[in-house]
Amino acid sequence: MASIGSTPRQHSFAAIASEIGSWSLSLKIGTVMMLLIALSAIFAPWVAPYDPNLQDFESVLLPPGFAHLFGTDSLGRDVFSRVIHGARVDLQIGVITTYVPMIYGVMLGAYSGYLGGRFDAILMRILDVAMAFPFLVLIIVILAILGPGVQNIYISVFLVAWTMYARLARAEMMVERTKDYITAARVLGFPTNRIILRHGLPNVINSSIVFSMSDFVLNILLVSGLSFLGLGIQPPIPEWGAMIAEGRDFILQAWWICTLPGLAIVFTGTALSLIGDGLARRLGERHHTFV
């Protein structure tokens, strides 16, 4: 029972603290690392000591030091400021290219798995065709047609990435629709949309959430790779992959230009991987608790 004199706000804080306390170590560490990256990206104009595009030809290729924490590049730009602002670009692209396809794919897959029939057959043929080609090749082809740029990256990744979530959600829903609670909902005469969205979807989305963590990492690596190839973010926008591409010609004399943005990618990927591992364990524990 609640203690006398406690407020609803205190109860909510206690519930949050209890939930966080039950997290695994990997989930806690990954969340702290991701919060650090996210806060740096959000407050980039205040965290970064210099304008990321400010050129200073008197400070070209300076090594890391007090004036420039991560050194400077071939145009005298502060690498630390560009890495911080690059986090904003990469995280924004990572969120949009991961969760917009996820929402669309999970919804479509859930309806397909529950309804079956002709709708499911048509969707499966579309998925078979889309997944017959390598993921990266399809995106490069679409970008070659549309041209480089942030908006075209969103379009190309969306056209390909939703298929994985649709297949995953469809498989989960096909299992869920045979369970007693779905049968009971049908017997009670609940509308199809209510059965799918309010009863089935909360039980099929967990695997997609866990998968989205690794997909987030892959999308950041994808955008960085596309920028490295010249198909992604175009200069002078600070983006980690583009920064690595710009620094490859100076790797022997100014290793910091491409090494430190690369470490930023590794740090972010590690954080998301830890979160994904922790979420998989946490959601699995909840599933076994309620079953």
Side-chain angles (χ1 to χ4, degrees):
M1 294 180 62
S3 59
I4 298 175
S6 60
T7 64
R9 180 175 294 180
Q10 290 174 330
H11 290 315
S12 63
F13 285 146
I16 293 172
S18 176
E19 173 66 22
I20 294 176
S22 64
W23 289 359
S24 64
L25 181 61
S26 63
L27 183 54
K28 291 177 182 177
I29 294 175
T31 301
V32 171
M33 292 170 65
M34 202 63 218
L35 279 175
L36 180 63
I37 300 167
L39 290 175
S40 298
I42 293 170
F43 298 104
W46 296 275
V47 175
Y50 300 94
D51 183 329
N53 295 320
L54 178 64
Q55 300 180 13
D56 183 3
F57 293 103
E58 294 183 357
S59 303
V60 172
L61 300 181
L62 291 179
F66 291 107
H68 298 280
L69 192 60
F70 285 3
T72 61
D73 63 10
S74 59
L75 297 176
R77 297 173 297 188
D78 183 65
V79 175
F80 178 73
S81 299
R82 291 181 63 77
V83 168
I84 295 297
H85 281 269
R88 171 177 287 192
V89 175
D90 280 270
L91 290 185
Q92 176 184 324
I93 294 175
V95 168
I96 294 175
T97 56
T98 300
Y99 293 104
V100 172
M102 183 187 109
I103 293 171
Y104 180 79
V106 167
M107 293 291 292
L108 205 57
Y111 272 89
S112 176
Y114 181 81
L115 296 175
R118 184 174 298 178
F119 177 75
D120 181 56
I122 294 173
L123 180 66
M124 285 306 298
R125 299 296 76 77
I126 295 173
L127 294 180
D128 289 341
V129 171
M131 299 188 75
F133 298 94
F135 179 83
L136 182 58
V137 172
L138 273 179
I139 290 179
I140 291 176
V141 169
I142 296 171
L143 273 177
I145 296 171
L146 299 178
V150 177
Q151 184 175 358
N152 292 338
I153 289 175
Y154 293 154
I155 295 172
S156 60
V157 174
F158 172 79
L159 290 175
V160 180
W162 70 270
T163 58
M164 296 179 288
Y165 291 101
R167 186 179 287 274
L168 186 59
R170 173 186 176 274
E172 294 280 346
M173 182 60 81
M174 291 182 71
V175 174
E176 292 297 319
R177 73 180 181 181
T178 63
K179 294 185 177 179
D180 292 340
Y181 75 95
I182 294 290
T183 303
R186 285 202 206 98
V187 172
L188 291 172
F190 289 166
T192 299
N193 287 336
R194 177 174 177 177
I195 294 174
I196 295 174
L197 299 178
R198 295 190 59 183
H199 300 281
L201 193 60
N203 293 295
V204 306
I205 201 172
N206 288 348
S207 56
S208 295
I209 292 174
V210 174
F211 176 73
S212 71
M213 292 294 106
S214 59
D215 193 32
F216 199 127
V217 178
L218 293 175
N219 284 334
I220 289 178
L221 292 174
L222 171 66
V223 173
S224 299
L226 291 172
S227 298
F228 184 84
L229 295 173
L231 295 173
I233 308 302
Q234 299 301 298
I237 299 174
E239 194 278 326
W240 293 336
M243 293 172 66
I244 295 173
E246 292 171 1
R248 61 183 169 178
D249 294 332
F250 305 94
I251 184 107
L252 296 179
Q253 62 185 113
W255 56 267
W256 54 87
I257 300 177
C258 54
T259 301
L260 296 177
L263 289 177
I265 296 175
V266 172
F267 187 85
T268 304
T270 302
L272 290 168
S273 298
L274 289 172
I275 292 174
D277 181 67
L279 280 177
R281 295 182 184 179
R282 184 61 181 155
L283 294 175
E285 291 171 1
R286 284 187 171 183
H287 177 74
H288 291 303
T289 300
F290 290 118
V291 170

